[in-house]
Amino acid sequence: MAAAASGPWVEFTFCSQQEGQMTSSYSARSRAIEPFHVMALLERANQLQVQGHDVIHLEIGEPDFTTAAPIVAAGQAALAAGHTRYTSARGLPQLREAIAGFYAQRYRLSIDPERILITPGGSGALLLASSLLVDPGKHWLLADPGYPCNRHFLRLVEGAAQLVPVGPEMRYQLTPELVERYWDRDSVGALVASPANPTGTLLERPELAALSAALKERGGHLVVDEIYHGLTYGTDAASVLEVDDEAFVLNSFSKYFGMTGWRLGWLVAPPAAVPELEKLAQNLYISAPSMAQHAALACFEPATLEILEARRGEFARRRDFLLPALRELGFGIAVEPQGAFYLYADISAFGGDAYGFCQHMLETEYVAITPGLDFGRHQAGHHVRFAYTQDLPRLEQAVERIACGLRSWRP
């Protein structure tokens, strides 16, 4: 494919019959997986920066903090000690034990370390779970809006996502009533996220228990993305393992622990599933990065946790500034997010489509935000996501620029 310019924006089109023929010879699964719309926006934002413009990045879901110093030091020590070889497919035993200890400390849960598999990022955990639980033609129920890679991983294993429209009235989360309405003969489970991307909403312990019961009644699996655990404000997120010991839990060192580029996550599974998951891990990626695993051992040290908790406080301050500031400008944010670092905002009051709105804000005010099209289908055309992954002075500057952009916006 080649890029065809539409103004300064890049759209991808087939530029020749030969290219079209080549692409049609690729797998259907590859062609069915959609690109991130935000990546074209990010590419344009980077172009503007090269041209000398000061772009405020509120589009990418990555903490602005670098990895905490104790974790970096542990990684450097691991490299110096020669810890550069494969580990077991399930991961370093001492890291699995440390994670189990974390569950005991934070959730008062006794999790056998043998149930924990260390994965290359949270994506590796999702790959294992979807490969294990989804046969061709089967599907999970997923909230719409939701993180796009979830449905793409299901397509990769020849399954599918049954997108369930959710809105502020159910805090953008699946409910037992929705499970009953959308469950069919090809349904095999549900994947929920708490806190959720892009909305930041949580599932409380009773809601997790009710979802678990609704799925068990139908013989389905419950998979819970807990990747944003630790990044909650004014409350603590409940783990599904507090109410359902047979659920599958996806987690990551990327968000709360700030190790995005280290590519490390984990999966907690029922004991009976572990041998099959280990076999899949052996074949799909051999093992997670060994130096990252050794570095992650420092995540659970008191000095590191003190740093991470201070960062959580900083994210809370950012949310508490940006949420009322955007509402005052006219953005519709019906549900206060309790976690993650996102605000999912309705732009209906301003008219026009979300993608064009994001283009306008970037081209005129140099503020990059994400269009709702990346998160599903339900009312996506008039929603945008703000990531408060910049410090307070930059957020204040962004709000001033957005206010100017609203005055010049012509849908």
Side-chain angles (χ1 to χ4, degrees):
M1 294 194 299
S6 175
W9 288 82
V10 176
E11 297 177 354
F12 289 98
T13 57
F14 295 119
C15 66
S16 69
Q17 182 178 4
Q18 182 180 10
E19 274 193 27
Q21 291 171 343
M22 288 175 61
T23 304
S24 66
S25 70
Y26 300 153
S27 68
R29 77 176 68 85
S30 174
R31 287 183 278 118
I33 291 175
E34 303 168 28
F36 281 126
H37 293 90
V38 73
M39 298 315 292
L41 185 150
L42 178 61
E43 181 178 351
R44 177 58 182 159
N46 290 336
Q47 290 173 357
L48 289 169
Q49 285 188 174
V50 169
Q51 294 169 12
H53 298 288
D54 176 32
V55 177
I56 301 177
H57 290 275
L58 305 182
E59 80 280 36
I60 300 300
E62 181 173 27
D64 54 320
F65 302 107
T66 58
T67 302
I71 302 172
V72 174
Q76 292 169 333
L79 289 170
H83 295 308
T84 58
R85 304 177 68 85
Y86 296 135
T87 69
S88 84
R90 283 188 291 160
L92 286 175
Q94 57 267 47
L95 182 55
R96 292 189 280 115
E97 290 168 5
I99 293 170
F102 188 67
Y103 277 98
Q105 174 192 2
R106 182 148 294 192
Y107 306 100
R108 292 180 169 79
L109 288 171
S110 178
I111 303 295
D112 186 345
E114 296 300 308
R115 296 175 53 188
I116 300 170
L117 293 94
I118 310 300
T119 59
S123 298
L126 178 58
L127 177 61
L128 289 184
S130 55
S131 298
L132 178 76
L133 301 176
V134 183
D135 276 323
K138 302 299 182 181
H139 59 244
W140 286 343
L141 305 185
L142 272 66
D144 178 1
Y147 180 56
C149 288
N150 293 337
R151 65 181 186 268
H152 296 157
F153 268 91
L154 292 173
R155 179 63 185 89
L156 190 67
V157 298
E158 301 297 334
Q162 174 65 50
L163 296 182
V164 178
V166 294
E169 64 276 10
M170 66 278 293
R171 299 189 353 272
Y172 299 102
Q173 294 282 1
L174 291 185
T175 65
E177 294 75 21
L178 289 172
V179 170
E180 180 178 5
R181 186 186 312 171
Y182 285 90
W183 193 268
D184 62 32
R185 64 182 182 181
D186 291 323
S187 303
V188 293
L191 169 61
V192 297
S194 178
N197 178 8
T199 61
T201 61
L202 297 179
L203 285 162
E204 304 291 346
R205 189 177 290 103
E207 295 169 317
L208 288 166
L211 270 177
S212 171
L215 289 162
K216 285 184 176 179
E217 182 181 340
R218 293 162 175 79
H221 297 283
L222 177 57
V223 183
V224 182
D225 171 349
E226 297 185 355
I227 284 171
Y228 290 93
H229 270 222
L231 291 176
T232 56
Y233 317 111
T235 186
D236 290 325
S239 173
V240 68
L241 297 173
E242 298 173 41
V243 299
D244 183 356
D245 200 48
E246 296 178 357
F248 290 77
V249 172
L250 316 175
N251 214 319
S252 171
F253 287 93
S254 290
K255 308 302 182 181
Y256 176 66
F257 296 104
M259 296 181 65
T260 50
W262 299 76
R263 306 312 305 135
L264 201 65
W266 75 83
L267 171 67
V268 184
V274 171
E276 289 297 306
L277 289 167
E278 182 175 16
K279 179 181 64 178
L280 288 168
Q282 290 167 344
N283 283 275
L284 291 172
Y285 55 79
I286 301 179
S287 69
S290 56
M291 61 289 295
Q293 293 189 60
H294 283 277
L297 289 168
C299 288
F300 308 104
E301 295 175 357
T304 307
L305 292 172
E306 185 177 348
I307 294 169
L308 301 181
E309 285 300 302
R311 292 177 175 184
R312 169 166 44 174
E314 175 61 20
F315 278 124
R317 286 185 286 275
R318 296 174 184 184
R319 182 202 64 165
D320 293 345
F321 163 74
L322 191 59
L323 176 61
L326 291 176
R327 282 173 168 170
E328 188 173 342
L329 289 177
F331 290 89
I333 307 174
V335 180
E336 179 175 303
Q338 298 166 286
F341 35 67
Y342 306 116
L343 295 173
Y344 195 61
D346 189 339
I347 64 164
S348 297
F350 313 126
D353 69 283
Y355 198 82
F357 184 86
C358 292
Q359 287 179 311
H360 174 75
M361 286 298 167
L362 180 58
E363 293 296 332
T364 64
E365 304 301 329
Y366 309 116
V367 177
I369 54 181
T370 304
L373 294 172
D374 271 339
F375 304 107
R377 306 286 183 269
H378 182 56
Q379 300 183 349
H382 54 85
H383 279 81
V384 298
R385 188 194 73 178
F386 297 86
Y388 43 95
T389 51
Q390 299 288 321
D391 62 23
L392 274 173
R394 290 293 273 173
L395 292 180
E396 291 169 355
Q397 192 176 16
V399 169
E400 293 174 359
R401 294 186 188 183
I402 291 167
C404 292
L406 289 174
R407 289 193 287 270
S408 62
W409 166 240
R410 299 290 183 268

